[in-house]
Amino acid sequence: MAGRKRKLLSLAVAAAEPAVVGPENQGYLKAPAPLKKPAKGEKMEQSPYFSRKDPQHKLGEDFFNQPCVRLAKAFLGKVLVRRCADGTELRGRIVETEAYLGGEDKASHSAGGKRTERNAAMFMKPGTIYVYAIYGIYLCMNVSSQGEGAAVLLRSLEPLQGQPAMRQLRAARRREGARQLKDRELCNGPSKLCQALNIPRCFDRRDLASDPEVWLETDPQASPPEPHDVVSVSRIGIESHGEWAAKPLRFYLRGHPCVSVVNRKAERLTV
């Protein structure tokens, strides 16, 4: 009987250990093995930061129903979750966004109120996912907001859970023999983000407030960013759009290593 108690105790201790790969053991795998599927009756890997039994962390329709600029800032610090086909969950904290204001915004896909088959999601209810391709091969993920044709581009994430799987997904799109990516390089750009979280084109027009494969959560262990933590600067890659190219509609967390492009001048002016 004593031996059985010791065995049960050891199993309980093992089950209590966090399953997330932490920063202390990241970056040493040359070719990460695929994440194993759980055996029959075994529970799927859980993050110590989140719990599926605690649904109040998942953000619903009310969160997305905000004006575009406000929503773009509200995204900062929130956690994007992607549940893969095998049940693996990938998580990343949003650290950079861009706001596209709809018809008035010359840099927006919906400039002038133009509706097409491609940008239809921008005119749907707040929280609708808009996935589009650039250069014919890379994808970007946006989320609609209040405002006709307005949406927020998700530019960069801080990887929180599932880094080995993210690294494999990124490696599949890189040349053979390329150096292993650091954690901060996994999701530091809109297309890198989509690769690392395996966001496919077919997610276009899905509802981020209710979709079972991708959703948004609050981080119960982190405080919301303060206004002085958010840097407002011009957006990336829209230089040909006149005055709209200079408008400060890109937002990022000051000093965060996963931001795609840092603007030191703007940071000094907003301290």
Side-chain angles (χ1 to χ4, degrees):
M1 181 63 71
R4 183 181 178 185
K5 286 184 178 179
R6 285 195 297 271
K7 183 177 181 180
L8 289 174
L9 179 60
S10 64
L11 289 173
V13 171
E17 293 177 351
V20 174
V21 180
E24 71 280 354
N25 56 9
Q26 285 296 313
Y28 71 96
L29 296 177
K30 293 184 178 179
L35 299 180
K36 296 189 298 182
K37 292 184 178 180
K40 187 175 181 180
E42 181 183 352
K43 291 185 177 180
M44 181 59 60
E45 176 184 3
Q46 299 267 352
S47 167
Y49 299 101
F50 307 91
S51 170
R52 293 185 196 141
K53 296 180 180 179
D54 204 4
Q56 70 265 27
H57 297 313
K58 188 171 182 178
L59 293 165
E61 293 182 359
D62 289 345
F63 172 80
F64 301 103
N65 192 22
Q66 303 187 54
C68 192
V69 170
R70 188 188 303 171
L71 180 61
K73 294 179 180 179
F75 268 121
L76 298 176
K78 303 302 186 295
V79 177
L80 184 65
V81 186
R82 170 74 165 100
R83 180 177 293 168
C84 300
D86 64 356
T88 301
E89 290 185 359
L90 311 177
R91 281 181 165 83
R93 180 180 291 109
I94 298 171
V95 300
E96 184 181 3
T97 61
E98 288 181 352
Y100 288 86
L101 308 185
E104 64 174 323
D105 188 342
K106 303 302 182 184
S108 174
H109 289 177
S110 58
K114 182 180 179 181
R115 299 187 189 211
T116 65
E117 180 66 19
R118 180 198 193 199
N119 74 0
M122 299 182 79
F123 295 89
M124 295 180 180
K125 73 170 187 171
T128 301
I129 298 171
Y130 172 38
V131 180
Y132 65 85
I134 56 174
Y135 308 118
I137 51 175
Y138 300 114
L139 299 178
C140 295
M141 179 179 174
N142 306 255
V143 183
S144 66
S145 67
Q146 284 183 5
E148 191 80 353
V152 176
L153 170 67
L154 305 184
R155 276 201 63 89
S156 298
L157 301 179
E158 172 196 355
L160 295 178
Q161 179 181 342
Q163 289 94 325
M166 293 181 190
R167 193 167 280 109
Q168 289 176 353
L169 288 163
R170 285 294 315 282
R173 303 295 296 272
R174 305 177 75 221
R175 69 179 186 279
E176 187 176 352
R179 67 172 180 81
Q180 182 170 275
L181 294 171
K182 299 176 182 178
D183 278 9
R184 61 181 173 82
E185 299 172 315
L186 291 173
C187 308
N188 63 336
S191 296
K192 296 175 184 178
L193 179 163
C194 285
Q195 290 177 17
L197 267 66
N198 194 24
I199 304 294
R201 182 71 174 83
C202 64
F203 275 21
D204 186 53
R205 307 185 193 182
R206 288 195 183 189
D207 184 0
L208 192 56
S210 62
D211 197 275
E213 295 183 87
V214 61
W215 63 88
L216 201 68
E217 293 179 341
T218 58
D219 184 344
Q221 296 192 354
S223 301
E226 297 293 337
H228 66 267
D229 296 325
V230 178
V231 181
S232 302
V233 293
S234 58
R235 295 171 291 185
I236 303 296
I238 60 165
E239 292 77 12
S240 63
H241 294 284
E243 63 177 320
W244 284 91
K247 291 187 181 293
L249 295 173
R250 177 166 68 99
F251 310 101
Y252 67 82
L253 295 181
R254 183 189 303 274
H256 201 289
C258 295
V259 171
S260 65
V261 180
V262 172
N263 188 318
R264 298 297 184 193
K265 181 178 179 180
E267 290 186 5
R268 288 194 297 271
L269 292 174
T270 56
V271 171

